Amino acid sequence: MVQGTMNLNTQIDKEWLQNYVDDWVAFYQKTTEEGKVASYIPVLAEANPDHLGIAIYGKNGMNITSGDTDVTFTIQSISKILTFIVACMERGVSYVLDRVDVEPTGEAFNSIMHLEMKSPNKPFNPFVNAGAITVTSLLEGKNSQEKLEPVFELLEKMIGYRPIINQQVFASEDETSARNRAIGYYLLETESLESPLDVTLETYFKQCSIETTVTDLAKIGLILANDGEDPDSEEEIIPRQIARITKAIMLTCGMYDASGKFATYVGIPAKSGVSGGIVALAPPRVRNAQFPFIEGCGIGVYGPALEERGNSVAGMKLLKHIASQWDLSIF
Ligand code: DON
């Protein structure tokens, strides 16, 4: 692997960066063997655990992609960012945050225990399943299609096309959903849901089954890095306040019970999903030296071999390495 700090006085050139990133991806690809693909949703178990790919998108068309970038995968929990943004746009930030808190849990993403023990009427945050299912219930619309239409419209503005729902993954989610149904019934009992339970869960399973690529995730990250504005057209895609709150919750809760460590050792907002995707971003930063992507970037990573908390094992290591080499930390 290429070691050491790059020559920061050199004009940053794409080919030069590409060589570094290719080398890092090849190195961290070997760490995929430390993880396991998710198997609690049977279709997800079909993923190739050796895959590792990354896309990094910056301003002015600057982008780097490396590794297994052509593989499509379902967005899973990364969709929780999108539904949170849309719910805030539709219902207002205070309405949503009156119903879902913004506190990290330190527990597994699908934990039920902490809901009952610590917060009977308000899920901890929009990225644990209880909070995400509540947020999905707040989306306007009578059925899953109506609820998800603004999510697809938002996605289309961010990634430039309308993605599909992977029907096989959706069916697999639905068939193996006992725990999410248990969470749903709990939320029903505490009167947290604003849509019927079946509509809410169908919408939640569909949002998790949206098919995506690392390039899509990098584009989503770049718009968030740019406080909700498209850096090319300067169009406001997400209101600034909502983009900022979303980034804060990504930093504190985006990597589940590894969020504290990720914030400490990597230092950038990120959100993972059990299919192995991670969306991350670095806002524009002020540094004396000239680092790559100094004006901010969005990063999409895919590596389906997961550590025990449900985050891509090689993806996290790769992000940590890049963040330290390029001084991406927001702190
Ligand atoms: O709720 C579930 O089980 C999934 N469909 C989404 C979970 C997920 O991606 C959690 N991520 N780490």
Side-chain angles (χ1 to χ4, degrees), residues 40-41 44 74-80 109-110 127-129 132-133 169 173 176-177 179-180 183 204-205 207-209 254-256 271-277 306 309-312:
Y40 74 102
I41 298 169
L44 296 185
T74 50
I75 196 164
Q76 294 297 331
S77 279
I78 299 170
S79 67
K80 294 168 180 172
F109 66 90
N110 53 5
F127 297 163
V128 287
N129 285 14
I133 291 168
V169 173
E173 294 258 357
T176 54
S177 55
R179 181 169 275 265
N180 279 328
I183 293 172
Y204 175 73
F205 300 144
Q207 72 182 61
C208 289
S209 307
M255 304 299 281
Y256 296 107
K271 177 78 200 84
S272 64
V274 283
S275 58
L306 310 177
R309 299 177 186 91
N311 302 306
S312 170

Side-chain angles (χ1 to χ4, degrees), residues 190-246:
T190 55
E191 297 178 4
S192 304
L193 300 181
E194 294 202 0
S195 308
L197 179 60
D198 56 340
V199 172
T200 304
L201 287 176
E202 183 182 305
T203 311
Y204 175 73
F205 300 144
K206 282 187 176 165
Q207 72 182 61
C208 289
S209 307
I210 294 173
E211 217 156 71
T212 193
T213 65
V214 284
T215 298
D216 298 336
L217 297 184
K219 289 179 179 174
I220 294 169
L222 178 59
I223 286 162
L224 284 168
N226 208 29
D227 280 345
E229 209 178 80
D230 183 320
D232 297 327
S233 65
E234 295 183 359
E235 181 195 354
E236 182 184 272
I237 293 177
I238 303 163
R240 179 175 288 240
Q241 183 205 13
I242 297 175
R244 287 193 171 160
I245 292 171
T246 305

